[in-house]
Amino acid sequence: AGAEVTHHNFQASAAMDILPELTPKQTDVAAVEAALYVQDEWRLSERWNANIGSRLYYFQSGTYLHLEPRLSLAYAVTEDVTASLSYSVGHQYLHLITRNETLLPTDVWFPSTGTVRPSKAWQATAGLSTTFGGEDHFASIEAYYKGMEYLYEYRDGAEFTFGTPLEDQFTSGTGIAYGAELFLQRRVGPLTGWIGYTLSWTLRNFELLNLGREFYPRYDRRHDVSLVINYALGERWQLGASWVYGTGQAFTVPEGFYTFENIDDNFSSISSNEYVSRRNNYRAPAYHRLDLNIIHRRKVFGLDSEISLNIYNAYNRQNPFYILTDKVIQDRPPYNTKTVLKQYSLFPIIPTLGWSFVF
């Protein structure tokens, strides 16, 4: 059981442009966040165990008070196999607002207010876990389903101009997430490590977005893989490798352009507009990376120390940091303009050398 209190001071803005006159109005919010929580573990029988708890949450901005119950049950099928079930309800008072027309890192954290309600989620899970090989190995599989309310995104035609309150540019909706997670670990011996794989789906539904149809949000990730391997060469040397893979993020790109000419007695101009039939209609390339390390342990001046050589992004994968649409002129007649996607990447292969001491 316990209690916690946090005082927040938010200064939220979606400033995107260099010109100050194009900067939207900044929103300043001060809020106290407080919680009381209690949790207890019960051994119901030789095979059944339970974990029951609850959290009472208060958020000053908007004066919100919520109760968040949680329950998990574990059943020992055999000495080595355990089945589990869990259910929980949670609220989030800080909203991650994402712009879907670009992969630029322009996400904004915005607090709940009198008009922006806290997000609510309930989640149910079911799983099986086992140890084998004399408990040298551990494996688990778990499925989950989550329902969400009061999710926020920028509305279509949001205006990022001076004097426009940022919260006026939001629209709310609902969402679901579901999937399965696999985990396998070797715990003992010179060769240790683990592999994890997640297959998941995330969907959103906003009445005022995507013509009211469901769409995949940016952070929908179909496949997620993590692999970690460590190999001990005696007591002094250790080799390590880790590899991660994830499906590319979804974002919105134009599917076409149309132009029309405005003509009157004194002025003529040509306007260009984008055509988009559905939200988040494009996937960025997958993200994957390999990191390697070598560790040597030795005593220096009577102190335990480790010398490590680490290689980040060992095969120099050019992962997308952000992707933009751009217009280029073809280098051959009739020199038409075409629209292309340009990808920008950060963090190429980076070696580092470190020496740490324990005293």
Side-chain angles (χ1 to χ4, degrees):
E4 59 185 26
V5 177
T6 304
H7 181 269
H8 296 283
N9 185 26
F10 300 99
Q11 293 180 330
S13 174
M16 284 284 297
D17 305 282
I18 298 175
L19 298 176
E21 61 268 20
L22 297 182
T23 300
K25 182 180 179 181
Q26 179 171 287
T27 299
D28 297 331
V29 178
V32 172
E33 178 182 347
L36 299 173
Y37 58 90
V38 61
Q39 179 175 288
D40 195 16
E41 294 186 3
W42 290 358
R43 184 173 178 83
L44 305 178
S45 69
E46 290 186 1
R47 292 182 177 269
W48 284 98
N49 287 280
N51 188 307
I52 303 173
S54 188
R55 186 181 185 93
L56 184 63
Y57 228 135
Y58 169 76
F59 194 74
Q60 179 185 15
S61 177
T63 315
Y64 295 105
L65 183 66
H66 293 111
L67 185 66
E68 301 178 342
R70 59 203 62 188
L71 167 68
S72 65
L73 297 172
Y75 177 74
V77 181
T78 68
E79 186 176 344
D80 299 322
V81 179
T82 301
S84 61
L85 295 169
S86 70
Y87 178 83
S88 63
V89 176
H91 295 82
Q92 183 165 310
Y93 298 92
L94 305 182
H95 304 275
L96 181 63
I97 313 297
T98 301
R99 296 187 68 169
N100 290 277
E101 74 276 14
T102 175
L103 271 188
L104 280 167
T106 57
D107 298 343
V108 172
W109 286 100
F110 197 89
S112 297
T113 63
T115 56
V116 179
R117 298 190 59 176
S119 298
K120 179 182 179 180
W122 62 267
Q123 178 170 295
T125 68
L128 283 172
S129 62
T130 181
T131 57
F132 56 96
E135 297 192 355
D136 292 354
H137 300 82
F138 173 82
S140 67
I141 180 172
E142 186 175 78
Y144 68 92
Y145 187 93
K146 177 188 288 188
M148 294 165 280
E149 299 177 337
Y150 301 110
L151 304 175
Y152 288 88
E153 291 204 16
Y154 291 114
R155 61 178 176 81
D156 289 337
E159 300 176 2
F160 300 99
T161 55
F162 180 77
T164 303
L166 193 56
E167 59 267 39
D168 289 352
Q169 311 309 311
F170 301 157
T171 183
S172 66
T174 61
I176 59 173
Y178 57 92
E181 300 177 349
L182 301 173
F183 183 77
L184 177 63
Q185 182 181 30
R186 177 179 169 83
R187 300 169 167 177
V188 180
L191 180 65
T192 59
W194 54 269
I195 181 171
Y197 170 69
T198 301
L199 174 66
S200 62
W201 287 263
T202 302
L203 290 163
R204 298 286 188 268
N205 192 296
F206 287 70
E207 182 180 356
L208 300 181
L209 297 179
N210 203 43
L211 301 178
R213 300 171 298 183
E214 283 188 327
F215 63 91
Y216 296 112
R218 176 188 290 190
Y219 297 106
D220 171 68
R221 176 172 286 185
R222 192 70 62 249
H223 305 284
D224 190 288
V225 182
S226 297
L227 174 63
V228 175
I229 297 175
N230 294 299
Y231 186 73
L233 296 170
E235 296 182 357
R236 291 185 175 272
W237 291 91
Q238 179 177 300
L239 307 178
S242 64
W243 184 74
V244 293
Y245 174 92
T247 300
Q249 292 184 343
F251 68 105
T252 304
V253 297
E255 298 172 54
F257 293 87
Y258 61 92
T259 60
F260 59 91
E261 187 172 5
N262 299 316
I263 302 176
D264 57 32
D265 295 338
N266 302 313
F267 182 75
S268 175
S269 66
I270 296 178
S271 300
S272 177
N273 293 271
E274 299 176 350
Y275 168 74
V276 177
S277 66
R278 54 194 175 93
R279 198 174 184 86
N280 289 348
N281 56 355
Y282 182 78
R283 287 275 181 178
Y287 181 99
H288 53 89
R289 190 186 80 241
L290 173 67
D291 300 335
L292 303 173
N293 68 78
I294 302 174
I295 296 175
H296 176 59
R297 300 181 179 92
R298 62 181 304 164
K299 281 188 175 292
V300 178
F301 303 119
L303 299 176
D304 292 330
S305 71
E306 287 187 352
I307 301 174
S308 60
L309 172 63
N310 307 281
I311 302 177
Y312 176 90
N313 195 8
Y315 53 78
N316 200 33
R317 164 70 176 176
Q318 299 298 303
N319 286 302
F321 178 65
Y322 63 92
I323 298 176
L324 299 175
T325 57
D326 195 11
K327 293 183 179 180
V328 298
I329 300 176
Q330 294 177 314
D331 56 2
R332 295 179 181 178
Y335 303 108
N336 291 329
T337 299
K338 68 175 182 178
T339 302
V340 298
L341 291 177
K342 287 189 174 181
Q343 174 182 306
Y344 295 85
S345 301
L346 294 179
F347 306 121
I349 180 172
I350 302 175
T352 60
L353 182 65
W355 196 351
S356 61
F357 294 87
V358 178
F359 56 90

